[in-house]
């Protein structure tokens, strides 16, 4: 690898770190804004559809994984095959886990999703043969399995909301359709850019830099999620005791109840 390529690699990695540092601040809370919560509680299935679209388009970990997949796609048949496998995988666990109330610590599942980004980039670089001297696992099966994990992460997000028990299945399906629409929008934009880059002589260099950067980004996200996991399981180690943690949330709920009561009082006066 030439010196110029090495410099480009470090430049891409530095930009990724800067971007990830900025976007993981608000996203690290693993929640949705109060406006989104209010919309999805008060609205119908269209609200769930809209939230699904915006959540996918802002889901940097899912987008990085999809970006890694498209390096493998050179024909329309391959696009349909691999994206369908990923879609079926995350749709199954999203619907099943949410409908049955199956929950996993969101930091833990996101740490696995971060490693899935590393995995797909490592496969793109033919790392199994080059560095491990083995044949890579069946890629279609792996993408399906990783899709199941991503769906569990999406379900964890969705279950943070007070879902309607009367129309639960349709709410979940609407959210999932929104996820798929957002994925198609992101994928279409990525494929347009990728097809333009494939016509350039420097595409091989770009591919190598991008996939090494994906590994770096995945490891960066993994470290952040592991830190968050230990923070939630052992809060005393982070200067925020479990007792204070509980009282903090009680105070938040009391404050919200007071604001809601004041709002109803103002409405009655008007």
């Amino acid at each position: 690898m030439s010196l110029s390529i090495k410099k480009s690699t470090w430049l891409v990695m530095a930009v990724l770190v800067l971007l990830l540092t900025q976007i993981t601040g608000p996203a690290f809370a693993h929640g949705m804004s109060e406006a989104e919560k209010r919309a999805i509680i008060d609205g119908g299935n269209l609200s769930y559809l809209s939230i699904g679209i915006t959540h996918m388009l802002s889901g940097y970990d899912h987008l990085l994984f999809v970006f890694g997949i498209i390096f493998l796609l050179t024909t329309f048949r391959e696009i349909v095959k691999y994206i369908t496998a990923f879609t079926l995988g995350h749709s199954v666990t999203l619907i099943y886990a949410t409908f049955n109330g199956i929950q996993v610590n969101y930091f833990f599942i996101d740490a696995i999703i971060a490693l899935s980004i590393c995995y797909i980039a490592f496969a793109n670089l033919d790392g199994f043969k080059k560095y491990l001297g083995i044949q890579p696992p069946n890629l279609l099966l792996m993408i399906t399995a990783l899709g199941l994990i991503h769906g569990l992460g999406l379900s964890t997000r969705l279950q943070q909301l007070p879902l309607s028990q009367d129309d639960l299945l349709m709410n979940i399906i609407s959210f999932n359709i929104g996820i798929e629409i957002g994925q198609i929008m992101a994928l279409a934009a990525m494929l347009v850019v990728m097809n333009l880059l494939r016509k350039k002589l420097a595409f091989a260099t770009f591919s190598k830099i991008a996939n090494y950067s994906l590994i770096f980004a995945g490891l960066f996200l993994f470290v952040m999620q592991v830190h968050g996991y230990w923070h939630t399981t052992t809060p005393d180690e982070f200067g925020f005791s479990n007792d204070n943690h509980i009282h903090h949330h009680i105070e938040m709920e009391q404050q919200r109840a007071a604001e809601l009561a004041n709002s109803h009082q103002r409405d009655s006066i008007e």
Side-chain angles (χ1 to χ4, degrees), residues 133-202:
I134 61 174
Q135 291 293 326
N138 183 286
L139 188 60
L140 189 63
L141 291 178
M142 288 304 301
I143 287 180
T144 304
L146 294 173
L148 293 171
I149 296 172
H150 280 246
L152 197 56
L154 293 169
S155 173
T156 302
R157 297 292 195 281
L158 185 57
Q159 290 185 68
Q160 292 175 341
L161 299 172
L163 297 169
S164 170
Q165 295 303 314
D166 296 331
D167 201 18
L168 178 60
L169 184 58
M170 281 308 301
N171 289 164
I172 298 171
I173 292 175
S174 297
F175 180 81
N176 190 48
I177 292 174
I179 290 290
E180 304 315 325
I181 293 174
Q183 179 175 279
I184 292 171
M185 292 170 64
L187 181 64
M190 291 178 186
L191 285 174
V192 168
V193 174
M194 192 65 69
N195 287 334
L196 292 175
L197 290 173
R198 287 185 192 278
K199 299 176 182 178
K200 306 295 182 181
L201 295 176

Side-chain angles (χ1 to χ4, degrees), residues 75-86:
T75 67
F76 179 76
R77 182 177 180 179
E78 289 177 337
I79 293 172
V80 172
K81 182 171 68 173
Y82 286 102
I83 295 301
T84 298
F86 179 63

